[in-house]
């Protein structure tokens, strides 16, 4: 764990002690405001640029359009690319004829891997929860999304018709 992560963990513990909240819930925005106001977290130029870039990426993620068949689709797609010791996030518009096909192939493959990783972690978390808590009704995680996707497609087709 990095020194930065350790410092953040330390002030999270201090925040929880000072707030005296035993609910077990933490609002990260409230925590961030508290850390900033108490001089525990001082943003530098890179942090500010990263925050602005994250805001721009969020705007890209939220841009949807509807095609001629009535299908709602995400307009902008990202890939990550390692250049030296930096990881770049490169975005392209699905409707931009100059955006290379390979970009979208890579973007879709990367998003699929993210979904698989999320599913793996969700299953692991649920398994650990069930093992530790031994609930009367264990949390079951179904990872076959075939019917869910089919149902959404049918619903979308009805809307488009």
């Amino acid at each position: 764990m990095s020194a930065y992560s350790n410092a953040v963990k330390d002030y999270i513990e201090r925040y929880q002690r000072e707030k005296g909240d035993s609910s077990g819930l933490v609002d990260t925005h409230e925590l961030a405001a508290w850390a900033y106001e108490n001089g525990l977290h001082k943003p530098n130029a890179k942090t500010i640029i990263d925050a602005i870039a994250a805001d721009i990426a969020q705007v890209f993620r939220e841009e949807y359009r509807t095609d001629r068949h009535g299908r709602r689709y995400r307009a902008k797609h990202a890939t990550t690319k390692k250049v030296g010791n930096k990881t770049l996030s490169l975005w392209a518009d699905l409707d931009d004829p100059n955006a290379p096909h390979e970009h979208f192939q890579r973007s879709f493959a990367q998003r699929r891997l993210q979904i698989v990783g999320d599913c793996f972690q969700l299953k692991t978390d649920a398994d650990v929860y069930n093992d530790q808590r031994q609930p009367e009704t264990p949390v079951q995680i179904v990872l076959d999304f075939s019917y869910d996707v089919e149902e959404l497609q049918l619903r979308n087709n009805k809307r488009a018709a």
Side-chain angles (χ1 to χ4, degrees), residues 79-90 106 110:
T79 61
T80 55
K81 181 179 180 181
K82 194 91 165 146
V83 177
N85 63 350
K86 281 186 170 182
T87 300
L88 304 178
S89 183
L90 305 173
R106 185 177 175 136
Q110 286 178 350

Side-chain angles (χ1 to χ4, degrees), residues 57-124:
Q58 187 60 37
V59 169
F60 284 166
R61 268 185 221 97
E62 293 172 355
E63 185 177 345
Y64 283 81
R65 298 183 187 131
T66 304
D67 76 353
R68 60 188 165 92
H69 301 290
R71 296 176 296 195
R72 189 170 180 263
Y73 65 98
R74 184 189 270 177
K76 307 269 198 286
H77 293 267
T79 61
T80 55
K81 181 179 180 181
K82 194 91 165 146
V83 177
N85 63 350
K86 281 186 170 182
T87 300
L88 304 178
S89 183
L90 305 173
W91 290 81
D93 192 305
L94 199 72
D95 296 328
D96 182 349
N98 296 315
H101 175 70
E102 295 77 22
H103 174 86
F104 295 101
Q105 284 179 309
R106 185 177 175 136
S107 176
F108 300 150
Q110 286 178 350
R111 280 183 56 202
R112 187 179 186 283
L113 280 175
Q114 288 171 346
I115 292 166
V116 169
D118 284 346
C119 288
F120 173 79
Q121 191 61 60
L122 175 61
K123 177 78 169 85
T124 301

